[in-house]
Amino acid sequence: MRENIERLTKNLGQTIVGKAEAIRLVLVALLGGGHALLEDVPGVGKTLLAKSLARSIAGKFQRIQCTPDLLPTDITGTNIWNPRSGEFEFLPGPVFANVLLADEINRATPRTQSALLEVMEERQVTVDGVTRPVPTPFFVIATQNPIEYQGTFPLPEAQMDRFALSLSLGYPTETEELQMLQRLQEGVTVEELQPCIALEEVLELRRLCGKVKLETSLQQYILNLVRATREDEEITLGVSPRGAVALQRSTQALAFLAGREYAIPDDVKFLAVPVLSHRLIPAGGRRAKTVVERLLRSVPIP
């Protein structure tokens, strides 16, 4: 299955310029069975990344533009009356997809945010007492602008905890931006991108990621990092047990992407910031990323 990873990474590289680390983190979230939160300014390629991933795995792509007037049923779907049949019929919402882009999720009201985050956790929706599973795999890429807060409803910590990891694409370098402009004339567009693996292969890759071996000492290292966030005086709210599980699963996925059947401490160190920082509340206006980086220097490595 190693060749599937290489094909997928290469395929995404046809449309995404110079974001190898971001692509790797998104694949970690996908293969680890979680979801990804992209905290970035507009126009850096978040939608392009989501579309390219969906096309690469031959999956169905849907996009939600979150706004304050968006209703929960606009996401999950609703029953509508069919006058011909004389009965209600279910009209599926955009969550019935394989890759769902929730753009500017913090512009949706808390009620609508909760509806989306519930299906992220349960992989199903319940409308009028009828439960319907969403397709598998089901992967959400949510975005929010970390700069603009006017007219937004920030996600509470319990909902941020539903994301396996958070990341930022950032602005491209000058060379990357020039390459991007050149590709507009001669490169592959997202509409022309061809699938390189099937949905069934994504599920098999997830299963294989779960078999990556973690030594007890490495699991203890993960636990020590998580517990350190709960005891540190610079942190108001530490990482939950769900965060420890997410860090372990992400570590397994990263090791698998590297072609190994076992995880190493460097996998945990690489993922600690994207997996843990959005789950904690630092005290005194400190930056969560800086606090996690400090804990990485203080917690002994096995």
Side-chain angles (χ1 to χ4, degrees), residues 110-183:
R111 183 183 175 192
T112 303
Q113 290 176 8
S114 297
L116 175 59
L117 293 160
E118 180 181 3
V119 68
M120 286 168 56
E121 185 74 15
E122 305 296 334
R123 263 68 172 186
Q124 62 183 29
V125 296
T126 302
V127 178
D128 294 340
V130 178
T131 299
R132 295 176 175 86
V134 296
T136 54
F138 176 64
F139 182 57
V140 174
I141 297 179
T143 75
Q144 62 178 1
N145 187 338
I147 305 300
E148 187 178 354
Y149 293 102
Q150 185 176 0
T152 63
F153 304 85
L155 273 67
E157 287 66 39
Q159 295 184 346
M160 292 284 279
D161 205 21
R162 297 300 195 276
F163 291 96
L165 50 80
S166 65
L167 67 146
S168 171
L169 295 179
Y171 287 118
T173 64
E174 183 177 351
T175 302
E176 292 168 351
E177 200 159 7
L178 176 60
Q179 187 179 357
M180 178 191 70
L181 294 175
Q182 291 171 340
R183 284 194 181 184

Side-chain angles (χ1 to χ4, degrees), residues 1 4 7 196-206:
M1 299 296 285
N4 287 339
R7 286 204 306 267
C196 61
I197 66 173
L199 292 173
E200 294 76 14
E201 291 174 303
V202 175
L203 297 176
E204 177 63 15
L205 289 172
R206 281 186 173 181

